[in-house]
Structures are given as structure tokens and as C-alpha cells.
Amino acid sequence: MEFHPHDLLKLKGEEDLICDSPLPDWVKESLSRAPFVVVRRAPLMKKLVPIGIRGESRSERFAAFIPYDKILETITPEQLVEKTSWKQNQRFHCIDALQSLPHVSKTLSRFSVRWGPTGSVGFELASNVYTAKPTSDLDLVVRTPSLLPMELAVDLRTQLCKVKVGVDVQLETPKGAISLDEYSKGKSPVLLRTENGPQLVKIQEIWNT
Amino acid sequence: METLTFEYNATRTIHQRSHVGVVGSGDLEVLLEPSSNGQAQITIRTGSEGFGDAWKAVLDRFFLVNDIAAKVTINDFGATPGVVNLRLAQALEVSQDVPNHQK
């Protein structure tokens, strides 16, 4: 089984989590509202997937692990796009970040990339539990298995700047994730998020093998 | 939104202003400006409240090693301590580059 950062995993409940410290109360409440966790960018341990639990505020984030065999369902960001999951969302008309998805989808289809929503919007689309806020940005992951030419990156950023909410794109490369905003400035170094932590890399080394 | 401030005594100077980082989840913007008052003065605006101790730990270590006189402005979007430390190092490196016209 393969898991990637941002994938959402459905589980039965808090009893299936493995962690070093006791679960805060908000984690239990959060999982009883929506039994979904997010795959973290960390090394896969033997049969354990590193995950994070999100609470209601930005300061509520908790790291733990879940054994493979306790995962009931895996939802990738791309699957949320394939299903055009926003069409079924009840809050489509009151949350700008949700409402901008059809436009963003049309824009990204011109770039022939695989992509999907992450963050609070992805979580809400996968779980059907109110998570995004009227002020939420739209976080996206865009798969870039091979070099994204700079002129395309600049074009993509320009197009996404026209969306009425802030769009925060992480480009997922074979080595880790970089920010589209930073990459499209064309300056070295850029911050690469790897499973062993963040590092600064030269722009020409991002896709080097 | 929470605003945190920190101050450290400093002996070294930086050459120029620098601005690194991005506005985006798990990241931060760092603006470093030269200062002549012999101090590093750091102001952090963050949407993740309640992490004052974690900020202090990262900044104590960074400004102990790099005792630069500077005004430091940070806009944080939930960056981890590892990301904060890298962005500070990156900002410092850019601020010590000699401007092109002086080369």
C-alpha cells in the first residue's frame, strides 16, 4: 500500500491511534465529529502510517501513527477532483474557497497536471463535516513528477492569482514539496519539504536525480 | 492572531535588507532590516496562538549564534520550528550578500 502526504485516511476511532503522549481532549472530540486523519510528511514506520489530526483552530494539530490494517478508507486529493466532490457540498455557496474550485479546476486542466485540494477544504470535501471557514485559503497539491518549466510555473501562478481567494500551491516533486509561489520567483534557494524535514535547495537541483 | 516580541543584544551588523519566505500554510515570511541600536528586535505575527515557548526556543538558539543588530519582522502561517530556523538562516545569508553595485 502506498500513502502520500495529504491523503486523508478514515479510521474507526481514537482507539486505533498510536502515539507517545496521551491524546488531548480536543483530538477525541475532533475524531468523533469526523473520523479522518491526514498523512504527514514523515518516514513510514514498519506498518505504521504517520498522520496528523486537525482541530478547530490552527494551533490544534496532533501527530500520531495508524497501523495499515486499521485504515478503513484512503481518499487522495486527486479523487476529490475526479468526483467533482464540490458539487455535492452543502456549503458551496457560502465558502469562497469551495466556490472557486470549478474555476480552479478549469484552469488547472489546461496545464495537464494531476492535482487536488488539501487543507481545510480537502478535509471538508472528504469528510462532509464543516471544516473550511469563510476566510479559508484554498490549499492545493499539484503533482510534478518531472520538471515544471519556469514559464509554465509563472503562467500557472498568474492564472491562480486571479482567483478570488488566496490559492496556496505545493508542487509535489519526487524529492518533496516546494511552494509554487517561491519556485515561480526563480530565485535560489527554495524550501523543499522532505520526509526527513525541510531543507534549502538550489532551484536547478529540485528535479535532478 | 497573536503578536509576539523578542529582543537580544547584538554585536554584528548586516549589509542590507532581505525578505524571504512565502505566504502559505506551514511557511512564513521573514523581513530582516539593518539596525543601529545594537539589538535584534523581533516581532512575530502568527495565526497559531499559544506557541510562545516554541518561538523563544528557536529564536534564543538562532540569535545566540548569530548576534546581528537587526529589525526582524515575521509573518507566520503555522511554520514548524525546522522551517522557521531555515528561513531565518536564508534571510541572514541574503542580508550578508554584498550588493551588486559595490562588488
Side-chain angles (χ1 to χ4, degrees), chain A residues 10 15 28 44 61 64 89 97 102 105 121 141 163 191 208:
Chain A
K10 188 173 185 184
E15 64 274 19
K28 298 174 189 173
L44 284 187
R61 297 288 185 272
N89 188 281
S105 177
V121 168
V141 59
V163 178
L191 188 119
N208 276 2

Side-chain angles (χ1 to χ4, degrees), chain A residues 41 78 89 131 142:
Chain A
R41 198 178 300 279
E78 287 95 322
N89 188 281
T131 311
V142 170

Side-chain angles (χ1 to χ4, degrees), chain A residues 10-82:
Chain A
K10 188 173 185 184
L11 63 161
K12 208 164 86 205
E14 57 174 274
E15 64 274 19
D16 291 336
L17 294 176
I18 293 175
C19 54
D20 298 331
S21 49
L23 291 178
D25 287 341
W26 69 258
V27 167
K28 298 174 189 173
E29 285 158 23
S30 175
L31 289 174
S32 63
R33 266 196 314 272
F36 287 85
V37 295
V38 189
V39 176
R40 279 186 290 129
R41 198 178 300 279
L44 284 187
M45 312 246 299
K46 205 177 170 188
K47 301 202 170 163
L48 293 179
V49 185
I51 56 95
I53 296 130
R54 53 182 308 143
E56 289 197 326
S57 79
R58 278 197 195 201
S59 51
E60 290 177 341
R61 297 288 185 272
F62 189 79
F65 294 89
I66 179 166
Y68 285 10
D69 56 3
K70 300 290 185 188
I71 296 167
L72 303 180
E73 191 184 352
T74 303
I75 302 173
T76 66
E78 287 95 322
Q79 284 171 342
L80 299 172
V81 178
E82 284 154 19

